[in-house]
Amino acid sequence: MSPTYSPAAEELLDGLMGETETYRQLMSLTQSERSALQERNLTSLAEIVRQKEAILANLMEGEKTRQQLVARLTQDIGLPGDASLSDIIAALDDPLAQQLARLRQELTDLVDQLLSLNHGNHLLLKAELEQVEATFNYLMSATFSHDGHYSANGEGTPQAAPGTVLNWEV
Amino acid sequence: MLDRIQPKVPASYLNDMSRLEGKPEAARGGARQTDNAAAEVSLSEEALAMQRAMQAVKNAPDVRTDVVERIRNEIQAGTYKINVEALAGRLLSFLK
């Protein structure tokens, strides 16, 4: 296949550069998430998760835009619609092909690292929640194992059931 | 005058009280100890359980139950991990 050019290729390069930047932000947040998990700061963790969700929504939008762009580009340069970036690079002229190849490598490394970090965080979070739950259960059993009624003499003075207040025996 | 109404407490008694100050109920039982042994053992166990609970509260992280609940739901639903993995997976498949 002879190298060719499409304006959509420039747009794809810009789009992927934008995605790379957003993935860097996601990576940074995922690293903060790891710190929050290690510090057992669930309040900070919740804020990080909220920010991650916003970035993920942003990335999903970026993905839609990229898919439309790739559809246009592959049509321009005569490739099948499901062509990979490697296929596209092979069909493009330098320096655009080289720029895309560099970006492809950078993005691949970044996403690999992100997946690994995210997987570790997921395991840490599961362990943390199990511990929190166990602590709650312990506290609940230690605190509420009695009837909860207290008198001047301390805990344990039974409270009359409704309707039995006057049914006392001498 | 005041002494007649509230006689001075013997020094030996005060010493005994100061020694027992802050000790569990069981240690202050004296003569009652024999009669109420079972109840006091039970009370000590409860005090110990409460002490352990308080220690657990001290050691527990700063937790907001609504936050914990939300994250736990996300983990159970699989969205916490899958969102990132699905998105990254689709990108990696394009980058091949």
Side-chain angles (χ1 to χ4, degrees):
Chain A
M1 185 186 299
S2 60
T4 184
Y5 173 80
S6 162
E10 299 268 5
E11 289 178 52
L12 180 62
L13 181 65
D14 288 344
L16 285 176
M17 284 168 78
E19 273 193 85
T20 306
E21 185 50 41
T22 312
Y23 268 100
R24 276 200 201 100
Q25 290 171 13
L26 187 57
M27 182 73 179
S28 169
L29 265 182
T30 310
Q31 281 163 340
S32 302
E33 184 180 50
R34 173 65 59 95
S35 302
L37 280 166
Q38 285 167 341
E39 290 162 12
R40 303 175 71 194
N41 186 344
L42 289 184
T43 304
S44 165
L45 182 67
E47 175 59 21
I48 290 168
V49 168
R50 194 190 60 76
Q51 289 178 35
K52 272 180 82 174
E53 283 165 357
I55 288 188
L56 284 171
N58 194 3
L59 282 172
M60 280 184 215
E61 282 304 308
E63 186 186 31
K64 280 184 200 162
T65 307
R66 171 166 39 83
Q67 283 170 348
Q68 289 165 359
L69 209 51
V70 167
R72 188 148 56 91
L73 176 59
T74 51
Q75 196 173 16
D76 284 353
I77 60 178
L79 287 174
D82 60 349
S84 70
L85 186 58
S86 297
D87 299 331
I88 293 170
I89 289 169
L92 292 173
D93 289 327
D94 284 339
L96 198 55
Q98 281 184 344
Q99 287 174 309
L100 277 171
R102 271 198 299 273
L103 200 54
R104 174 184 169 276
Q105 191 57 52
E106 188 182 348
L107 200 43
T108 303
D109 292 345
L110 191 58
V111 171
D112 280 343
Q113 286 172 31
L114 174 69
L115 283 175
S116 169
L117 193 64
N118 199 62
H119 178 67
N121 284 5
H122 181 242
L123 296 178
L124 276 173
L125 188 54
K126 267 179 81 175
E128 177 69 17
L129 285 177
E130 278 167 13
Q131 191 173 354
V132 166
E133 200 154 340
T135 305
F136 276 169
N137 289 340
Y138 175 74
L139 287 174
M140 293 294 273
S141 66
T143 310
F144 299 111
S145 60
H146 309 290
D147 66 4
H149 296 125
Y150 287 80
S151 70
N153 297 324
E155 185 190 15
T157 304
Q159 200 173 57
T164 64
V165 175
L166 298 177
N167 293 341
W168 50 275
E169 292 176 8
V170 180
Chain B
M1 176 74 173
L2 191 64
D3 287 350
R4 271 186 287 160
I5 298 169
Q6 292 181 316
K8 278 184 182 171
V9 180
S12 61
Y13 180 79
L14 285 176
N15 287 341
D16 286 346
M17 286 303 289
S18 66
R19 277 206 309 273
L20 293 173
E21 195 82 5
K23 290 191 177 178
E25 179 66 23
R28 284 183 261 135
R32 288 178 301 155
Q33 201 163 17
T34 313
D35 297 339
N36 299 326
E40 284 168 1
V41 166
S42 170
L43 190 59
S44 294
E45 283 170 0
E46 286 176 18
L48 205 60
M50 188 52 72
Q51 193 181 22
R52 281 199 295 263
M54 289 305 186
Q55 192 59 43
V57 169
K58 269 184 169 178
N59 294 339
D62 181 17
V63 171
R64 283 171 45 197
T65 50
D66 57 329
V67 169
V68 173
E69 194 60 28
R70 193 168 72 82
I71 296 175
R72 184 173 54 189
N73 287 343
E74 283 187 13
I75 285 187
Q76 280 172 348
T79 49
Y80 174 80
K81 190 180 178 192
I82 287 172
N83 281 346
V84 176
E85 286 195 349
L87 200 62
R90 287 196 294 270
L91 178 59
L92 283 176
S93 129
F94 170 66
L95 293 176
K96 273 181 190 167

